[in-house]
Amino acid sequence: MARSPEPAAPRPRVAGAPGRAAGDAPDPERVLDALLSARGRALLEALPPPGPLDPAEELRLGTRLRAEHPAWLVAAAMGQRELRGRARAKFPLAERMWFTRHGLEQASAAPLASHRAARYAGFRRVGDLCTGVGGDLCALAPGRTALAVDLDPVHLRMARENARLHGAGEVAAACADVRGLRLPPSLAVFVDPARRMGARRLPAGGSRPPLAWCLALAERVAAVGVKAAPGLPLGLVPPGWEVELLADRRELKEAVLWSPALATTGRRATVLPGPHTLAARPGPPVPCRPPGAFLLDPNPAVTRAGLVEELARRLDAWRLDPRIAFLSADAPLLTPFGRPLRVDASLPWNLKRLRQVLRARRVGAVEVRKRGSPVDAGELAARLRLRGEERAVVVLTRVAGRPWALVCGEAPDARARGAASP
């Protein structure tokens, strides 16, 4: 994650290492020195694999280790063990990587970083600006000449260690403000600017370094990729750049802005694992019709990228309302770009009538999905007062401008059937 000098960010501590006020512990850089030493590595290897420890077992382990090592070193090693356990959700090699708490929270997960790194296949020299603990560097650096830049020396050293673990050669490093560097014109860079100042999230489009500075890099280097929040106002993206919205399954993770040297379209939605990608291309308007036998709830990456009609054209589907993203068809909608549902009942919105339909189907539990409906989804289940054994998905939406309700069941899933991207 990025580091910015405006204002100066507090330097992160190596997890588990107390500050000077707690005793004779050295500063974070010296703590990392100790962990990287032969003694520190041996201590880490002697710890149980990452995972929950019984409190009594943890107490016995800590007591035994403190008899052989300084208490601050034991605390730092135990902290690394904890972070490595948490990091397994992001990195396959987490148990041998290096983290701080803040660095792990902000690091790009390996599948996202690998997907982005594929854009740089034609470049031999890459720069990872605002590198953090190196989540992106681990994917960018192997097989290339790489430069890592960050204001935090602890994160920078961890990033280089993590990149080497993933097969990178020697990585050049600069502990500096990225805005003060003279970058080689042949460099292709990736930049992940900070979108927080301490505990405060910056407004949409705000970052350190500023987005305008990141975009202007395209005038100085060979190619640029910029990681941004998925809620970035898309009007801030210059002509000729590509906006890629990335989702991990149904969770929208980020937007990536690709400079003209890396862009392949104007808008793209990508869903991982896969990856499955959907790009914009010209086509006729999509008609609006009443619900058919099947419904599709498009992936958030598709809706945020403005590609609902593109997806509809590829699936030969229609919309229920010009302002609503739900798609419908009379045949199953098999695609990795949305959640398919089977329409079992379709009716104008009316609580009493909906309750009757659900009770007739012996439904006792509902999942509520809504687009364009003012009904409080959290209160609806209680108001329905259901007591059956079956489950259903209740979709609250609009059809041709009218409030509408659909009672749905799960339909075949493209991922389970091995369907390819449309």
Side-chain angles (χ1 to χ4, degrees):
M1 188 63 187
R3 289 290 175 270
S4 169
E6 299 179 8
R11 286 172 51 190
R13 296 190 309 185
V14 177
R20 288 187 179 276
D24 59 352
D27 64 28
E29 288 183 77
R30 290 184 59 201
V31 172
L32 183 57
D33 282 336
L35 288 173
L36 289 169
S37 70
R39 182 184 186 186
R41 291 178 187 271
L43 172 58
L44 283 165
E45 290 176 4
L47 297 177
L53 282 179
D54 178 86
E57 180 185 0
E58 185 173 5
L59 178 61
R60 288 193 298 270
L61 176 64
T63 301
R64 176 174 62 81
L65 293 175
R66 284 191 293 272
E68 304 170 10
H69 304 279
W72 59 264
L73 183 58
V74 173
M78 294 290 282
Q80 278 299 310
R81 175 188 174 278
E82 176 199 348
L83 291 177
R84 288 172 172 182
R86 289 168 51 191
R88 287 185 295 194
K90 287 188 172 185
F91 301 102
L93 302 183
E95 293 185 21
R96 291 188 286 158
M97 294 175 67
W98 299 90
F99 304 101
T100 66
R101 294 186 187 280
H102 178 71
L104 174 57
E105 289 171 0
Q106 303 303 322
S108 298
L112 291 161
S114 295
H115 171 74
R116 289 193 299 261
R119 288 278 181 133
Y120 294 84
F123 295 89
R124 305 306 304 166
R125 304 181 70 189
V126 295
D128 185 9
L129 310 186
C130 312
T131 224
V133 296
D136 286 288
L137 187 69
C138 291
L140 284 168
R144 300 185 176 97
T145 301
L147 168 68
V149 184
D150 200 280
L151 270 176
D152 186 279
V154 171
H155 280 174
L156 198 58
R157 291 180 64 190
M158 288 181 169
R160 296 176 78 186
E161 291 289 330
N162 291 337
R164 291 190 191 107
L165 175 64
H166 285 79
E170 186 61 30
V171 175
C175 188
D177 178 358
V178 295
R179 288 173 289 180
L181 292 179
R182 297 182 61 183
L183 300 172
S186 61
L187 200 65
V189 305
F190 179 78
V191 56
D192 180 4
R195 294 180 295 279
R196 289 183 177 272
M197 296 298 289
R200 180 174 64 89
R201 184 180 294 276
L202 295 172
S207 65
R208 293 291 185 272
L211 179 63
W213 181 88
C214 298
L215 297 173
L217 280 172
E219 301 171 5
R220 299 168 47 198
V221 299
V224 180
V226 183
K227 180 179 173 181
L232 175 78
L234 300 185
L236 297 177
V237 183
W241 285 63
E242 174 185 335
V243 181
E244 181 178 21
L245 279 299
L246 277 167
D248 182 355
R249 296 172 175 83
R250 284 196 60 84
E251 184 179 357
L252 183 57
K253 290 290 190 179
E254 64 192 44
V256 188
L257 315 182
W258 300 111
S259 71
L262 294 171
T264 57
T265 186
R267 299 273 181 90
R268 182 182 299 276
T270 296
V271 178
L272 299 172
H276 304 283
T277 69
L278 181 71
R281 62 187 184 192
V286 173
C288 293
R289 300 176 190 164
F294 294 90
L295 189 75
L296 187 78
D297 186 3
N299 188 282
V302 174
T303 56
R304 184 71 185 99
L307 296 176
V308 172
E309 294 218 342
E310 178 64 33
L311 180 59
R313 284 189 288 268
R314 298 195 185 194
L315 295 173
D316 196 22
W318 60 84
R319 305 182 76 156
L320 306 181
D321 185 279
R323 297 173 295 173
I324 303 298
F326 285 127
L327 300 179
S328 189
D330 288 323
L333 295 165
L334 299 180
T335 173
F337 294 107
R339 179 187 180 186
L341 296 169
R342 181 190 67 251
V343 177
D344 295 328
S346 173
L347 61 151
W349 163 248
N350 179 281
L351 179 62
K352 181 178 179 180
R353 177 63 182 139
L354 176 61
R355 185 187 295 124
Q356 292 172 343
V357 169
L358 292 170
R359 288 180 175 179
R361 294 176 177 274
R362 305 179 62 82
V363 172
V366 295
E367 174 193 346
V368 181
R369 303 287 299 173
K370 68 173 205 167
R371 291 184 190 269
S373 171
V375 177
D376 188 307
E379 295 179 0
L380 179 61
R383 295 170 65 192
L384 288 170
R385 301 192 299 274
L386 301 173
R387 294 183 296 274
E389 301 81 27
E390 303 298 322
R391 299 182 63 87
V393 180
V394 172
V395 175
L396 304 178
T397 187
R398 301 184 72 82
V399 173
R402 297 179 62 194
W404 210 265
L406 301 169
V407 177
C408 301
E410 297 293 343
D413 191 314
R415 289 170 297 185
R417 299 272 296 270
S421 303

